[in-house]
Amino acid sequence: MTALPQGRTRRAVTVAATCVLAVTGTVLTGCGSGDPDAGTNGVGKLSAAAIQAKARAAAAKAPTVRLSGTVVSGGTTYTLDMRLKSDGGTGSVTSRGAGFHLLRVGEHLFLKADAEFWAHEDGGSGGKATDTAAADKLEGMYVKVPTGDPAYKRFSGFTDKDVLLEGLLGLHGALDKDGHHEQSGVPTIRITGDKGSGGTLDVSLKGTPYPVLLGRAGNAGTLRMTDWGKDFKLAEPPRKDTVDYGQQLPAS
C-alpha cells in the first residue's frame, strides 16, 4: 500500500475529525450541513402548533419556574419577579409605584409591604381604615390575607404556577414560526400568533423545550421564564413576623 504524503495525511485526519464532531453535535456546521437544528432537541423542525404544545407540556410538568418581567392587565402594569411551584410561590410585585412581597404556602397567602403601602386616608376601598401609626406597625410584617377577602383572589394568582402559565402561554390567532434566536445564551425557536400581533414565544432548543421568553399579545407585557425545575425553599413566615387580621384586611 502506497503511503500518503505527511501533509495529505494530516488534512485527511482533520476533515474526518471535523465530521465526527458535527455528527455528535459538538460542531453545528461543517461537512456541508448548515442545519440550524443540528445538535438541538429537534423542536425547531416541528410545526408552530406542535412547538407550542411541547412548550406547554414541558411547563406543566416542571415542578418549579421563575417568572420575571411585566404584565399589563386592566390598564395597570405589574412588574413581577416570582418563583413558583405547585403548592405556592414567593416574590415581588410592583404596581403604580407601590411594591410588595407575596408569599403563598398551600392556601395561606401573606403580603409584606412598607408603611406607605398600608397608609391611606379612609376605608373607602372596603377594608378597615389604617392610620399612620398602624401602618408603621405593619411595615415589614407578613400580613395574612383571608381567603374571603377580595385581595386574596387578586393576589393569589401571582403565586399560582398553573394559573399563571395557563393564562400567559397562549398565543392568539394563526400560529407561525419566526426563525431561530438566542435568549441569554440559550438557542431558541420563536413562534408567533397573527405574525406577532397575537404574541410571541421563544422556546428552548437546548434540552427540555421550556418556554423562555413571552411577548404578550397587544403589547401587554414581556415575561422571561428561567430556573425551570430548580427547587427552592417555601415556608410560612415565623409567627413573630406575622399579623392576622381575621376576615378582613386593612384597606390599601
Side-chain angles (χ1 to χ4, degrees):
M1 179 180 295
T2 303
L4 289 172
Q6 189 173 10
R8 293 176 61 187
T9 301
R10 289 176 179 171
R11 286 195 297 273
V13 171
T14 299
V15 171
T18 300
C19 289
V20 170
L21 291 174
V23 170
T24 60
T26 306
V27 176
L28 301 184
T29 59
C31 302
S33 171
D35 182 0
D37 291 302
T40 71
N41 56 23
V43 170
K45 295 182 179 181
L46 304 178
S47 67
I51 294 171
Q52 184 184 51
K54 287 275 188 182
R56 279 179 173 272
K61 188 175 181 180
T64 62
V65 64
R66 180 176 182 176
L67 289 181
S68 57
T70 58
V71 173
V72 181
S73 179
T76 301
T77 299
Y78 299 92
T79 300
L80 314 177
D81 189 358
M82 300 295 303
R83 300 185 70 182
L84 309 169
K85 56 172 56 177
S86 60
D87 59 344
T90 182
S92 63
V93 180
T94 302
S95 175
R96 295 176 179 172
F100 50 93
H101 184 89
L102 291 174
L103 168 65
R104 184 175 64 84
V105 183
E107 291 187 354
H108 296 165
L109 177 67
F110 302 87
L111 189 157
K112 182 170 72 171
D114 59 21
E116 186 178 357
F117 176 88
W118 294 109
H120 55 85
E121 295 180 358
D122 56 52
S125 60
K128 300 175 183 177
T130 308
D131 59 26
T132 302
D136 288 340
K137 291 181 180 180
L138 292 178
E139 182 166 26
M141 299 292 287
Y142 284 93
V143 178
K144 190 173 183 180
V145 183
T147 55
D149 193 280
Y152 187 93
K153 182 177 181 180
R154 186 163 65 249
F155 292 142
S156 63
F158 288 120
T159 65
D160 193 312
K161 171 180 174 287
D162 294 336
V163 169
L164 266 181
L165 292 179
E166 181 65 27
L168 294 174
L169 291 181
L171 301 179
H172 304 287
L175 298 179
D176 203 354
K177 294 197 290 186
D178 188 27
H180 292 71
H181 299 265
E182 184 177 296
Q183 300 297 336
S184 301
V186 177
T188 65
I189 182 71
R190 181 173 298 168
I191 58 176
T192 65
D194 265 353
K195 299 181 179 180
S197 63
T200 64
L201 181 66
D202 278 45
V203 178
S204 176
L205 290 175
K206 182 178 180 181
T208 305
Y210 290 124
V212 174
L213 183 70
L214 171 72
R216 300 187 70 208
N219 295 317
T222 302
L223 282 172
R224 190 172 298 277
M225 290 156 276
T226 59
D227 294 349
W228 289 102
K230 186 177 292 186
D231 196 20
F232 62 93
K233 185 178 181 180
L234 193 62
E236 292 192 18
R239 288 191 176 183
K240 64 181 181 64
D241 298 328
T242 305
V243 176
D244 190 343
Y245 271 89
Q247 297 302 309
Q248 190 178 37
L249 280 183
S252 63

